[in-house]
Amino acid sequence: MICNEKMYALGAKRSVIRELFEYGKMRKALVGEENVFDFSLGNPSVPPPHEVKEALLRLLSTESEIALHGYTSAQGDKGTRDVIAKHYEEAFSFRLDPELMYMTCGAAASLTITLNAIVKDPADEVVTFAPFFPEYRVFTEKAGAKLVVCPPAAGLEIDVAAFRSLLNEHTRAVIINSPNNPSGVVYPEEQVKAVAAALRDAEKKFGTTIYLISDEPYRALVFDGKQATCFPKYYDDTVVCYSYSKSLSLPGERIGYIAVSPLAAEKTELYLAVCGAGRALGYVCAPALFQRLVKECDGLTADVNVYLQNRDLLYGSLSEMGFTCAYPSGAFYLFVKAPSGDASEFSEAAKQLDILVVPSDSFGCEGYVRIAYCVSTDLIRRSLPAFRTLAAKYFG
Ligand code: PLP
């Protein structure tokens, strides 16, 4: 093959999630939109807060078109970075430095840029916690490192002892994601503290620096009175990778940021490596209009009550039917145990009833399916009889 074979393989084989989503479109055309219960994709179902449209209209009608659509500096508009740092401090009493922030095209870009800025040797390892967002493997391997997966403890929380045993002289970074996709689990504070302590011990033992990459697209989607975690408070060598895709319901607009903690080792060098990786990957100057929009709307959140209502309805109903699910205190996903232990079999059985749920193998955790409940509450209600038929197949 003349082109790059690894890239060809990634392009030729769609992710399981995309595969199901495409199947859903085909099936809807065949049997009618209302008869397919598509829980495959994490596409927000709640509109952006009304301030988003108002700010866009204001920007479009009052700002110079040349300035509005022109390049910003490579790392993003300084005014926008100032506003983000101000709001972050108000929310968490922790001061991010706008001079260590880099505007990006969403969390995917934040992660790839950060990984490329950190990884430097083919022996480098990046640890993450199962279950995890499948693209971590793609991003890590493309950056030139090996992804090491830490299996979960009960309740899909962090197995700290297992995590400690995976850290070695090759560990360059750890990716953490809380609230978690696919489980919806919010890691408790004592586990965050234990992860930070394990990292500090490993840095001392191996004489290395290990960066904690906190992937935070769901930071604003936390329920049950729980607080989102401010990871830089717990561990100095932290890089925050944020996205407005879910908090402002703007996934198609591709906007987010990277913030290197002002307490991180070699923070200036790391930040310049972030700028360099952004440059090398072609990720300079994130979408200008949406950088301005973020300046106006950072800190606002789409109506998460809809997700909360969906969570309660689905978690309650499925538990009552006999299914076992990890309790999701955030994001908009439910991770359900396959009654037979076989995720693909369970996903296929659901598919026969036009319920589309993603088997968990690609999330690094066998024997579950992921339900993305960022759909209308009405769709969930209408899907319950089909779930009941599914439950009868396993529980009689
Ligand atoms: N990280 C996680 C855990 C996600 O669930 C997603 C998207 O669903 C991303 C990163 C990528 O987010 P974005 O669309 O902002 O690039």
Side-chain angles (χ1 to χ4, degrees):
M1 190 179 298
I2 298 167
C3 61
N4 182 304
E5 283 173 23
K6 279 188 193 156
M7 295 302 110
Y8 165 81
L10 282 175
K13 191 173 179 303
R14 272 201 293 251
S15 77
V16 184
I17 300 173
R18 290 275 161 193
E19 202 70 63
L20 259 179
F21 180 65
E22 293 302 326
Y23 170 83
K25 282 206 293 200
M26 186 271 286
R27 192 71 191 144
K28 281 173 199 170
L30 212 61
V31 299
E33 181 102 22
E34 68 287 0
N35 296 317
V36 180
F37 310 113
D38 185 356
F39 297 102
S40 63
L41 209 59
N43 215 358
S45 55
V46 174
H50 66 88
E51 289 91 340
V52 165
K53 190 172 179 182
E54 288 159 15
L56 281 174
L57 291 172
R58 197 167 53 246
L59 285 166
L60 287 169
S61 59
T62 57
E63 299 279 319
S64 130
E65 286 172 58
I66 302 282
L68 199 56
H69 301 298
Y71 288 122
T72 63
S73 59
Q75 66 271 41
D77 177 63
K78 173 68 165 50
T80 302
R81 289 181 280 133
D82 285 343
V83 166
I84 296 170
K86 179 171 166 284
H87 288 162
Y88 194 90
E89 187 170 15
E90 284 162 8
F92 297 113
S93 305
F94 185 93
R95 179 85 191 141
L96 292 175
D97 182 350
E99 300 296 347
L100 296 175
M101 293 172 79
Y102 191 97
M103 300 305 296
T104 65
C105 297
S110 300
L111 290 164
T112 44
I113 293 172
T114 303
L115 286 163
N116 276 274
I118 292 172
V119 171
K120 57 179 182 179
D121 188 280
D124 283 352
E125 294 181 1
V126 174
V127 181
T128 199
F129 303 96
F132 62 90
F133 181 53
E135 297 305 276
Y136 291 170
R137 188 177 295 288
V138 178
F139 299 160
T140 300
E141 289 177 359
K142 182 60 192 150
K146 179 180 159 204
L147 188 76
V148 175
V149 177
C150 181
L156 301 176
E157 292 183 351
I158 293 175
D159 183 338
V160 180
F163 175 61
R164 276 188 177 270
S165 74
L166 295 173
L167 301 175
N168 61 47
E169 67 274 27
H170 299 297
T171 312
R172 295 282 296 141
V174 172
I175 306 176
I176 194 160
N177 172 227
S178 176
N180 179 269
N181 174 9
S183 71
V185 167
V186 176
Y187 297 135
E189 187 185 23
E190 71 268 16
Q191 288 184 7
V192 174
K193 282 185 177 160
V195 165
L199 288 173
R200 276 190 294 271
D201 289 349
E203 284 189 332
K204 212 175 287 167
K205 181 172 171 191
F206 302 113
T208 54
T209 296
I210 305 174
Y211 290 110
L212 179 65
I213 302 172
S214 174
D215 180 26
E216 306 187 358
Y218 303 98
R219 190 172 78 206
L221 276 59
V222 205
F223 318 130
D224 309 325
K226 292 199 178 174
Q227 299 294 316
T229 308
C230 173
F231 282 93
K233 265 190 185 168
Y234 293 91
Y235 184 65
D236 289 350
D237 296 329
T238 292
V239 183
V240 172
C241 288
Y242 189 76
S243 161
Y244 295 90
S245 294
K246 321 285 170 163
S247 56
L248 287 180
S249 291
L250 293 174
E253 304 302 351
R254 316 309 300 136
I255 190 77
Y257 65 83
I258 297 166
V260 172
S261 170
L263 305 176
E266 295 195 2
K267 62 181 180 192
T268 310
E269 289 82 353
L270 176 58
Y271 179 67
L272 290 175
V274 162
C275 296
R279 179 179 167 192
L281 294 166
Y283 276 137
V284 289
C285 176
L289 176 61
F290 280 84
Q291 288 194 50
R292 306 282 158 73
L293 187 271
V294 162
K295 189 174 168 187
E296 308 281 322
C297 295
D298 177 69
L300 300 174
T301 308
D303 183 6
V304 299
N305 285 320
V306 177
Y307 300 136
L308 183 57
Q309 190 178 323
N310 288 357
R311 194 266 324 248
D312 288 346
L313 177 61
L314 203 54
Y315 180 83
S317 305
L318 294 194
S319 303
E320 201 184 283
M321 289 175 204
F323 293 110
T324 309
C325 326
Y327 188 73
S329 281
F332 39 51
Y333 303 107
L334 194 62
F335 215 42
V336 185
K337 242 188 186 143
S340 64
D342 182 338
S344 299
E345 180 275 333
F346 186 42
S347 167
E348 268 307 313
K351 207 165 152 190
Q352 298 308 313
L353 298 164
D354 283 318
I355 301 173
L356 307 185
V357 293
V358 182
S360 65
D361 304 13
S362 60
F363 299 112
C365 187
E366 288 174 8
Y368 289 81
V369 296
R370 186 192 76 172
I371 299 181
Y373 60 77
C374 44
V375 295
S376 70
T377 311
D378 178 58
L379 184 143
I380 296 179
R381 270 196 206 104
R382 286 188 293 104
S383 72
L384 294 179
F387 272 113
R388 255 180 226 111
T389 308
L390 188 62
K393 173 175 156 69
Y394 296 102
F395 311 120

